[in-house]
Amino acid sequence: MSLSPATRARIESLLADHHVVLFMKGTRHAPQCGFSAAAADRLNALLEDYHSVDVLADEEIRAGIKEFGQWPTIPQLYIGGELVGGADIVQSMFDSGELHRVLGVAAPDRTPPQLTISDAAVEKVRAALADAGDAKLFLVVDGRFQPQFQLREPGENDIVAVANGLEIRFDAASAQRARGASIDWTRTPHGEGLAIFLPQAPQAIRSLDVHQLKERMQAGDITVVDVRPEQDRAIAPFAGAEPFTPETHARLTALPKDAALAFICHHGNSSRNAAEHFREHGFTNLWNVEGGIDAWSVEIDPSIPRY
């Protein structure tokens, strides 16, 4: 497939307007494939602001970007108008510190994390490693602080920690998220397994009903963010809430990490996803308005139209 002049011009305009551009499936806040999520996770750890392009929403760009850079897969990272590569290259550059250097941010802290592992957990893990061959044990902690043990080949940029005689390897991002982790073997009514506690993980998102929201808004101790699309906000305006625009996002992410933020949408689902994004950025005082603007209309202010 040849690249049309119009599509080339669109891509060149995107690269001229933004220093860092990630062509991906989904968006940086809601990736739609594992490879795109891995690349966005590394960039999110380094940059508060960069541009992502959802190729799933634009077939012309999806096909055109592969021709533009002669790179056959998605995601693709461009910095300063130059193609850097896909998910594996982004991961490798992050772990080596090269991505930090290219983006002009501080080099990664490669100090091995301090871990606590119980005897029972060590015993179970060693039994599982009996047939691992040359593969090494890695603990991967993603941007949502979901931990997962993996067996894979070691690399020169691995960060290695030893706890209770057990060697565990990390990539640079996971090592930061795993600091202070404790690992135990637990038994529950649902079965047995490893339990991993990550003290670096931000607090979970808490629920707020519309009556509590009204009280908090009257007290003036919380910022309310309306994540609905512009057309929905026009149908049922919600006074006292800020629209979730790029400008609002930039201002909110600069607030102290303990700032109280409440997110509201139509029924309370999209708002939880938005709150999750801020949790990943270290915010610790996050609230989701259960039932959304629909519940507000029913229980607080019937003058707001339901739709």
Side-chain angles (χ1 to χ4, degrees), residues 112-115 117 126 160-170:
Q114 295 293 318
L115 311 172
I117 308 178
R126 288 195 184 282
V160 182
V162 178
N164 200 3
L166 185 68
E167 178 185 285
I168 303 178
R169 293 174 178 249
F170 301 84

Side-chain angles (χ1 to χ4, degrees), residues 250-263:
R251 188 184 67 77
L252 294 177
T253 52
L255 292 174
K257 297 303 184 185
D258 62 351
L261 302 177
F263 296 84

